[in-house]
Amino acid sequence: MSRTLIMIKPDAVKNKHIGDIITRIEKEGFKILGLKFLKLAEVDAKQFYKVHAGRPFYDELCKDMSESPIVVAALERENAVQHWRDVIGATDPKEAKPGTIRAMFAESKGKNSVHGSDSDENADLEISFYFKDYELVK
Ligand code: DAT
Ligand code: MG
């Protein structure tokens, strides 16, 4: 079993896809270890996405991510990181395969509905960004 950190981004919350995305999480066999609804401060969005600091889309990404609420979840499943990335599809919804969450719901490359960790190591870091250990079910 492994873990991944997912976010339902502001565009998907605004477009009323929280339920659709949580239903998909359940159908894909993930166990929810932690779940929160919150609004990021811009400074925290900048911290979360700091690997992208200096890239042309960084400021707008952090502004978009902090302008309205998001849902964050720590999920567990066999091969969690790769499975969730397969479920969400390519970063740019125009390149995402039919049936993936980004193909169905994303507005653009920047407002692309969902996040997923890109490695087991980053999943642990991202989960600890949002959750204390005692907030995750054992
Ligand atoms: P992913 O979210 O698929 O892991 P990433 O880590 O490369 O993609 O980028 C993080 C987020 O930054 C991505 O979900 C949306 C935004 N982003 C990335 N590349 C972008 C671009 N070329 N133009 C606008 N936004 C971009
Ligand atoms: Mg990424």
Side-chain angles (χ1 to χ4, degrees):
M1 286 293 164
S2 62
R3 293 175 173 193
T4 192
L5 186 280
I6 75 99
M7 298 189 284
I8 304 176
K9 297 185 180 184
D11 64 283
V13 173
K14 276 189 279 190
N15 292 327
K16 303 196 184 296
H17 293 308
I18 295 175
D20 297 320
I21 294 168
I22 290 180
T23 295
R24 184 69 179 268
I25 287 168
E26 293 181 321
K27 287 207 170 117
E28 295 290 341
F30 288 98
K31 180 178 174 191
I32 299 173
L33 303 180
L35 183 66
K36 288 183 182 178
F37 181 72
L38 59 94
K39 184 172 173 294
L40 280 173
E42 191 167 352
V43 64
D44 293 324
K46 287 194 156 164
Q47 176 66 20
F48 185 89
Y49 279 115
K50 68 173 189 261
V51 303
H52 297 301
R55 297 179 71 181
F57 59 84
Y58 177 66
D59 286 349
E60 195 177 345
L61 172 68
C62 297
K63 192 169 149 285
D64 289 345
M65 284 300 297
S66 56
E67 89 177 0
S68 63
I70 63 171
V71 174
V72 299
L75 304 181
E76 184 177 74
R77 191 191 184 283
E78 204 174 286
N79 198 21
V81 165
Q82 190 55 51
H83 191 83
W84 180 249
R85 291 196 72 93
D86 291 345
V87 167
I88 67 178
T91 307
D92 185 344
K94 290 196 225 93
E95 290 161 21
K97 288 189 187 133
T100 60
I101 291 175
R102 284 167 166 170
M104 290 191 288
F105 303 140
E107 293 180 358
S108 64
K109 196 167 182 180
K111 295 181 180 177
N112 62 359
S113 299
V114 275
H115 169 80
S117 307
D118 63 7
S119 66
D120 288 353
E121 189 188 359
N122 283 335
D124 287 341
L125 290 171
E126 292 178 359
I127 289 169
S128 64
F129 183 89
Y130 286 112
F131 297 97
K132 304 280 186 201
D133 208 43
Y134 64 78
E135 294 179 300
L136 300 170
V137 298
K138 296 290 179 299

